[in-house]
Amino acid sequence: MGDPMSGTWLKNVTVIRDGRQVLRDVTLRAADGELLVVLGSSGSGKSTLLRVLAGLNQVGSGTVIINGRDVTKLPPGERRVAMVFETSALIPFLDVSRNLGWGLRAQRLPDTEVKERVKDLARQLRLSRLLPRRPDDLSTGERGLVGIGHALVQRPDVFLLDEPLAGLDAAERPRVRQEIVHIVRSLGATTFFVTHDQAEGLAVADRVALLHDGAVVQVGTPRELYERPVDLFAAGFVGTPPIGLLPARLVSAGGQAAFTVGNRTLPLWRAVPPPLRDHVGREVVLGLRAEDVHDPTAGNDPDSVALAAVVREVEYTGRRNVVTVAVGAPPITARGSEVSGDKSRGATLRSFFPPRSVIRPGAAVTVAVKASSAHVFDAVTGRALWHP
Ligand SMILES: Nc1ncnc2c1ncn2[C@@H]1O[C@H](COP(=O)(O)OP(=O)(O)OP(=O)(O)O)[C@@H](O)[C@H]1O
Ligand SMILES: [Mg+2]
């Protein structure tokens, strides 16, 4: 990105609705041809962000750039973007074929080309048999597909997809998702793909922008978000099952770093890393992914320490069970996070156990963890201090 204006992006955009900032100084840039996922929970501002790009929402301040062109003051029709809305609005008196084609006809494309494009796209999305029907005679999922199709068939420079798979059932979602990705990639179009589903977002994204309360928390590749979350919010939002959080204290003994959890000590087997030096003697939160929390009976890792825990939940997923356990660690308070939880329940960790395992909720177990697999967060600010 040599050209400082290139790409499609928001620069320092703030949007105020009813006196409240629904986008807070958002700067977010997609390179040409990039598939950027905008991820966040309900109300975080995802739709607003897309509507700003489309020109459907005015910005309070900031700049909107599409394909290197400042469009902040341009109306939607002059921005060369195609948007799929959360609830697709189809024209009730037109059949699916015409619903797909009207955008192209409005651009005065020759009739034969419109028909050809609609036919090709219908085949790709497997909705050819729906072409003669009217929207009233479609299921919610089918209407969603036609809404997606209407945007894809236009082959714009920029796609804005707002929860495009929301109306589809779980079984259909992966197929349509792959089809959408295939189409936008083959067109080389820049795509903003909004979802609240982190697994879906990680699966399709070149990069993910995590949004929280109108602000960008982190932008990175799916792997960066998973392996190097910037704070407790990002750590908790990304990953299945959710990351386990364990209150601990960082100590230094004989120049060696360790974490104390209740009456147990987890040695890091090295000197205190520089980013942690200010935190010696202070409370931190250890973030442990399920793959780093082990069943000690399954094998012996000399670096791990066994923690006593009580099984809260066992979820069958086929190859392995996801087991949620409560470790009886002294709860601490971390502002803006769920770390403290219910004092009687302890800290929650998750682990994978083989499905033949006989453990049940309520059972006393031990789980093996090691300091060197833990993400370390500041217990007060929630900021990440260290990644394994
Ligand atoms: N017209 C409006 N007037 C006032 N507030 C609004 C308006 N539209 C949206 N908001 C507020 O802006 C915030 C962000 O809304 P937005 O629709 O962008 O969220 P979202 O991330 O798309 O959520 P969802 O996942 O539920 O679709 C919400 O708190 C919402 O209530
Ligand atoms: Mg929305």
Side-chain angles (χ1 to χ4, degrees), residues 97-116:
S97 175
R98 289 193 168 75
N99 260 292
L100 289 171
W102 71 260
L104 297 177
R105 291 204 165 83
Q107 292 172 35
R108 307 200 179 284
L109 248 66
D111 208 45
T112 47
E113 179 165 0
V114 174
K115 284 195 175 128
E116 199 58 34

PDB file of all heavy atoms in Angstrom, residues 97-116:
ATOM      1  N   SER A  97     -35.646 -14.231 -10.423  1.00  0.00           N
ATOM      2  CA  SER A  97     -34.795 -13.873 -11.540  1.00  0.00           C
ATOM      3  C   SER A  97     -34.719 -12.354 -11.707  1.00  0.00           C
ATOM      4  O   SER A  97     -33.636 -11.773 -11.866  1.00  0.00           O
ATOM      5  CB  SER A  97     -35.362 -14.542 -12.799  1.00  0.00           C
ATOM      6  OG  SER A  97     -34.636 -14.131 -13.908  1.00  0.00           O
ATOM      7  N   ARG A  98     -35.888 -11.693 -11.624  1.00  0.00           N
ATOM      8  CA  ARG A  98     -35.889 -10.234 -11.787  1.00  0.00           C
ATOM      9  C   ARG A  98     -35.344  -9.529 -10.550  1.00  0.00           C
ATOM     10  O   ARG A  98     -34.719  -8.473 -10.642  1.00  0.00           O
ATOM     11  CB  ARG A  98     -37.296  -9.748 -12.119  1.00  0.00           C
ATOM     12  CG  ARG A  98     -37.699 -10.146 -13.512  1.00  0.00           C
ATOM     13  CD  ARG A  98     -38.936  -9.418 -13.994  1.00  0.00           C
ATOM     14  NE  ARG A  98     -39.107  -9.635 -15.418  1.00  0.00           N
ATOM     15  CZ  ARG A  98     -39.539 -10.761 -15.964  1.00  0.00           C
ATOM     16  NH1 ARG A  98     -39.864 -11.793 -15.186  1.00  0.00           N
ATOM     17  NH2 ARG A  98     -39.654 -10.892 -17.268  1.00  0.00           N
ATOM     18  N   ASN A  99     -35.595 -10.138  -9.367  1.00  0.00           N
ATOM     19  CA  ASN A  99     -35.007  -9.577  -8.152  1.00  0.00           C
ATOM     20  C   ASN A  99     -33.492  -9.578  -8.225  1.00  0.00           C
ATOM     21  O   ASN A  99     -32.829  -8.644  -7.761  1.00  0.00           O
ATOM     22  CB  ASN A  99     -35.468 -10.360  -6.918  1.00  0.00           C
ATOM     23  CG  ASN A  99     -36.591  -9.659  -6.173  1.00  0.00           C
ATOM     24  OD1 ASN A  99     -36.391  -8.601  -5.588  1.00  0.00           O
ATOM     25  ND2 ASN A  99     -37.774 -10.240  -6.238  1.00  0.00           N
ATOM     26  N   LEU A 100     -32.932 -10.638  -8.815  1.00  0.00           N
ATOM     27  CA  LEU A 100     -31.479 -10.697  -8.935  1.00  0.00           C
ATOM     28  C   LEU A 100     -30.969  -9.696  -9.971  1.00  0.00           C
ATOM     29  O   LEU A 100     -29.876  -9.143  -9.829  1.00  0.00           O
ATOM     30  CB  LEU A 100     -31.039 -12.113  -9.343  1.00  0.00           C
ATOM     31  CG  LEU A 100     -31.175 -13.193  -8.272  1.00  0.00           C
ATOM     32  CD1 LEU A 100     -30.915 -14.575  -8.872  1.00  0.00           C
ATOM     33  CD2 LEU A 100     -30.214 -12.941  -7.116  1.00  0.00           C
ATOM     34  N   GLY A 101     -31.761  -9.463 -11.005  1.00  0.00           N
ATOM     35  CA  GLY A 101     -31.271  -8.708 -12.150  1.00  0.00           C
ATOM     36  C   GLY A 101     -31.557  -7.220 -12.152  1.00  0.00           C
ATOM     37  O   GLY A 101     -30.927  -6.488 -12.922  1.00  0.00           O
ATOM     38  N   TRP A 102     -32.431  -6.736 -11.271  1.00  0.00           N
ATOM     39  CA  TRP A 102     -32.850  -5.349 -11.440  1.00  0.00           C
ATOM     40  C   TRP A 102     -31.707  -4.355 -11.261  1.00  0.00           C
ATOM     41  O   TRP A 102     -31.657  -3.315 -11.936  1.00  0.00           O
ATOM     42  CB  TRP A 102     -34.058  -4.979 -10.567  1.00  0.00           C
ATOM     43  CG  TRP A 102     -33.813  -4.882  -9.085  1.00  0.00           C
ATOM     44  CD1 TRP A 102     -34.110  -5.822  -8.159  1.00  0.00           C
ATOM     45  CD2 TRP A 102     -33.248  -3.780  -8.361  1.00  0.00           C
ATOM     46  NE1 TRP A 102     -33.757  -5.409  -6.909  1.00  0.00           N
ATOM     47  CE2 TRP A 102     -33.226  -4.152  -7.001  1.00  0.00           C
ATOM     48  CE3 TRP A 102     -32.756  -2.524  -8.719  1.00  0.00           C
ATOM     49  CZ2 TRP A 102     -32.726  -3.318  -6.003  1.00  0.00           C
ATOM     50  CZ3 TRP A 102     -32.259  -1.692  -7.720  1.00  0.00           C
ATOM     51  CH2 TRP A 102     -32.252  -2.086  -6.382  1.00  0.00           C
ATOM     52  N   GLY A 103     -30.753  -4.692 -10.374  1.00  0.00           N
ATOM     53  CA  GLY A 103     -29.625  -3.775 -10.165  1.00  0.00           C
ATOM     54  C   GLY A 103     -28.809  -3.624 -11.445  1.00  0.00           C
ATOM     55  O   GLY A 103     -28.329  -2.536 -11.779  1.00  0.00           O
ATOM     56  N   LEU A 104     -28.670  -4.739 -12.178  1.00  0.00           N
ATOM     57  CA  LEU A 104     -27.904  -4.709 -13.433  1.00  0.00           C
ATOM     58  C   LEU A 104     -28.674  -3.952 -14.503  1.00  0.00           C
ATOM     59  O   LEU A 104     -28.104  -3.195 -15.299  1.00  0.00           O
ATOM     60  CB  LEU A 104     -27.626  -6.137 -13.905  1.00  0.00           C
ATOM     61  CG  LEU A 104     -26.760  -6.991 -12.972  1.00  0.00           C
ATOM     62  CD1 LEU A 104     -26.629  -8.404 -13.512  1.00  0.00           C
ATOM     63  CD2 LEU A 104     -25.399  -6.348 -12.802  1.00  0.00           C
ATOM     64  N   ARG A 105     -30.011  -4.174 -14.531  1.00  0.00           N
ATOM     65  CA  ARG A 105     -30.822  -3.459 -15.531  1.00  0.00           C
ATOM     66  C   ARG A 105     -30.762  -1.961 -15.285  1.00  0.00           C
ATOM     67  O   ARG A 105     -30.712  -1.165 -16.223  1.00  0.00           O
ATOM     68  CB  ARG A 105     -32.275  -3.953 -15.476  1.00  0.00           C
ATOM     69  CG  ARG A 105     -32.412  -5.376 -15.972  1.00  0.00           C
ATOM     70  CD  ARG A 105     -33.817  -5.711 -16.476  1.00  0.00           C
ATOM     71  NE  ARG A 105     -33.765  -6.945 -17.253  1.00  0.00           N
ATOM     72  CZ  ARG A 105     -33.801  -8.157 -16.711  1.00  0.00           C
ATOM     73  NH1 ARG A 105     -33.934  -8.304 -15.397  1.00  0.00           N
ATOM     74  NH2 ARG A 105     -33.718  -9.224 -17.481  1.00  0.00           N
ATOM     75  N   ALA A 106     -30.738  -1.600 -13.952  1.00  0.00           N
ATOM     76  CA  ALA A 106     -30.649  -0.177 -13.619  1.00  0.00           C
ATOM     77  C   ALA A 106     -29.340   0.421 -14.134  1.00  0.00           C
ATOM     78  O   ALA A 106     -29.275   1.608 -14.438  1.00  0.00           O
ATOM     79  CB  ALA A 106     -30.761   0.021 -12.104  1.00  0.00           C
ATOM     80  N   GLN A 107     -28.303  -0.435 -14.229  1.00  0.00           N
ATOM     81  CA  GLN A 107     -27.020   0.045 -14.789  1.00  0.00           C
ATOM     82  C   GLN A 107     -27.024   0.014 -16.310  1.00  0.00           C
ATOM     83  O   GLN A 107     -25.985   0.205 -16.939  1.00  0.00           O
ATOM     84  CB  GLN A 107     -25.866  -0.840 -14.309  1.00  0.00           C
ATOM     85  CG  GLN A 107     -25.551  -0.755 -12.835  1.00  0.00           C
ATOM     86  CD  GLN A 107     -24.521  -1.819 -12.431  1.00  0.00           C
ATOM     87  OE1 GLN A 107     -23.622  -2.150 -13.200  1.00  0.00           O
ATOM     88  NE2 GLN A 107     -24.696  -2.384 -11.248  1.00  0.00           N
ATOM     89  N   ARG A 108     -28.167  -0.330 -16.905  1.00  0.00           N
ATOM     90  CA  ARG A 108     -28.361  -0.376 -18.361  1.00  0.00           C
ATOM     91  C   ARG A 108     -27.468  -1.412 -19.042  1.00  0.00           C
ATOM     92  O   ARG A 108     -26.972  -1.188 -20.148  1.00  0.00           O
ATOM     93  CB  ARG A 108     -28.118   1.007 -18.990  1.00  0.00           C
ATOM     94  CG  ARG A 108     -28.947   2.097 -18.330  1.00  0.00           C
ATOM     95  CD  ARG A 108     -29.103   3.311 -19.208  1.00  0.00           C
ATOM     96  NE  ARG A 108     -29.919   4.308 -18.536  1.00  0.00           N
ATOM     97  CZ  ARG A 108     -31.242   4.240 -18.421  1.00  0.00           C
ATOM     98  NH1 ARG A 108     -31.912   3.225 -18.937  1.00  0.00           N
ATOM     99  NH2 ARG A 108     -31.907   5.192 -17.789  1.00  0.00           N
ATOM    100  N   LEU A 109     -27.270  -2.528 -18.389  1.00  0.00           N
ATOM    101  CA  LEU A 109     -26.546  -3.626 -19.032  1.00  0.00           C
ATOM    102  C   LEU A 109     -27.474  -4.280 -20.055  1.00  0.00           C
ATOM    103  O   LEU A 109     -28.678  -4.352 -19.841  1.00  0.00           O
ATOM    104  CB  LEU A 109     -26.142  -4.675 -17.987  1.00  0.00           C
ATOM    105  CG  LEU A 109     -24.649  -4.793 -17.716  1.00  0.00           C
ATOM    106  CD1 LEU A 109     -24.111  -3.533 -17.080  1.00  0.00           C
ATOM    107  CD2 LEU A 109     -24.390  -5.997 -16.825  1.00  0.00           C
ATOM    108  N   PRO A 110     -26.929  -4.786 -21.177  1.00  0.00           N
ATOM    109  CA  PRO A 110     -27.776  -5.438 -22.178  1.00  0.00           C
ATOM    110  C   PRO A 110     -28.506  -6.642 -21.574  1.00  0.00           C
ATOM    111  O   PRO A 110     -27.951  -7.351 -20.733  1.00  0.00           O
ATOM    112  CB  PRO A 110     -26.802  -5.888 -23.261  1.00  0.00           C
ATOM    113  CG  PRO A 110     -25.476  -5.343 -22.907  1.00  0.00           C
ATOM    114  CD  PRO A 110     -25.526  -4.748 -21.555  1.00  0.00           C
ATOM    115  N   ASP A 111     -29.732  -6.844 -22.046  1.00  0.00           N
ATOM    116  CA  ASP A 111     -30.591  -7.890 -21.502  1.00  0.00           C
ATOM    117  C   ASP A 111     -29.937  -9.271 -21.508  1.00  0.00           C
ATOM    118  O   ASP A 111     -30.052 -10.033 -20.556  1.00  0.00           O
ATOM    119  CB  ASP A 111     -31.892  -7.916 -22.309  1.00  0.00           C
ATOM    120  CG  ASP A 111     -33.026  -8.420 -21.453  1.00  0.00           C
ATOM    121  OD1 ASP A 111     -33.132  -7.969 -20.294  1.00  0.00           O
ATOM    122  OD2 ASP A 111     -33.775  -9.281 -21.944  1.00  0.00           O
ATOM    123  N   THR A 112     -29.242  -9.577 -22.622  1.00  0.00           N
ATOM    124  CA  THR A 112     -28.629 -10.914 -22.701  1.00  0.00           C
ATOM    125  C   THR A 112     -27.569 -11.097 -21.624  1.00  0.00           C
ATOM    126  O   THR A 112     -27.447 -12.160 -21.030  1.00  0.00           O
ATOM    127  CB  THR A 112     -27.955 -11.119 -24.086  1.00  0.00           C
ATOM    128  OG1 THR A 112     -27.186  -9.964 -24.382  1.00  0.00           O
ATOM    129  CG2 THR A 112     -28.982 -11.358 -25.163  1.00  0.00           C
ATOM    130  N   GLU A 113     -26.808 -10.036 -21.344  1.00  0.00           N
ATOM    131  CA  GLU A 113     -25.768 -10.158 -20.319  1.00  0.00           C
ATOM    132  C   GLU A 113     -26.379 -10.302 -18.921  1.00  0.00           C
ATOM    133  O   GLU A 113     -25.897 -11.083 -18.099  1.00  0.00           O
ATOM    134  CB  GLU A 113     -24.814  -8.956 -20.350  1.00  0.00           C
ATOM    135  CG  GLU A 113     -23.783  -9.118 -19.256  1.00  0.00           C
ATOM    136  CD  GLU A 113     -22.560  -8.222 -19.360  1.00  0.00           C
ATOM    137  OE1 GLU A 113     -22.479  -7.440 -20.314  1.00  0.00           O
ATOM    138  OE2 GLU A 113     -21.706  -8.328 -18.455  1.00  0.00           O
ATOM    139  N   VAL A 114     -27.461  -9.549 -18.677  1.00  0.00           N
ATOM    140  CA  VAL A 114     -28.147  -9.663 -17.382  1.00  0.00           C
ATOM    141  C   VAL A 114     -28.590 -11.107 -17.187  1.00  0.00           C
ATOM    142  O   VAL A 114     -28.333 -11.716 -16.142  1.00  0.00           O
ATOM    143  CB  VAL A 114     -29.364  -8.715 -17.312  1.00  0.00           C
ATOM    144  CG1 VAL A 114     -30.149  -8.949 -16.025  1.00  0.00           C
ATOM    145  CG2 VAL A 114     -28.910  -7.255 -17.400  1.00  0.00           C
ATOM    146  N   LYS A 115     -29.234 -11.670 -18.204  1.00  0.00           N
ATOM    147  CA  LYS A 115     -29.756 -13.038 -18.085  1.00  0.00           C
ATOM    148  C   LYS A 115     -28.626 -14.025 -17.847  1.00  0.00           C
ATOM    149  O   LYS A 115     -28.735 -14.933 -17.028  1.00  0.00           O
ATOM    150  CB  LYS A 115     -30.521 -13.418 -19.353  1.00  0.00           C
ATOM    151  CG  LYS A 115     -31.890 -12.766 -19.416  1.00  0.00           C
ATOM    152  CD  LYS A 115     -32.762 -13.422 -20.468  1.00  0.00           C
ATOM    153  CE  LYS A 115     -34.169 -12.838 -20.420  1.00  0.00           C
ATOM    154  NZ  LYS A 115     -34.617 -12.384 -21.739  1.00  0.00           N
ATOM    155  N   GLU A 116     -27.535 -13.836 -18.575  1.00  0.00           N
ATOM    156  CA  GLU A 116     -26.389 -14.730 -18.456  1.00  0.00           C
ATOM    157  C   GLU A 116     -25.802 -14.690 -17.032  1.00  0.00           C
ATOM    158  O   GLU A 116     -25.586 -15.714 -16.410  1.00  0.00           O
ATOM    159  CB  GLU A 116     -25.322 -14.270 -19.481  1.00  0.00           C
ATOM    160  CG  GLU A 116     -24.283 -15.299 -19.812  1.00  0.00           C
ATOM    161  CD  GLU A 116     -24.900 -16.580 -20.377  1.00  0.00           C
ATOM    162  OE1 GLU A 116     -25.937 -16.506 -21.101  1.00  0.00           O
ATOM    163  OE2 GLU A 116     -24.349 -17.638 -20.071  1.00  0.00           O
TER     164      GLU A 116
END
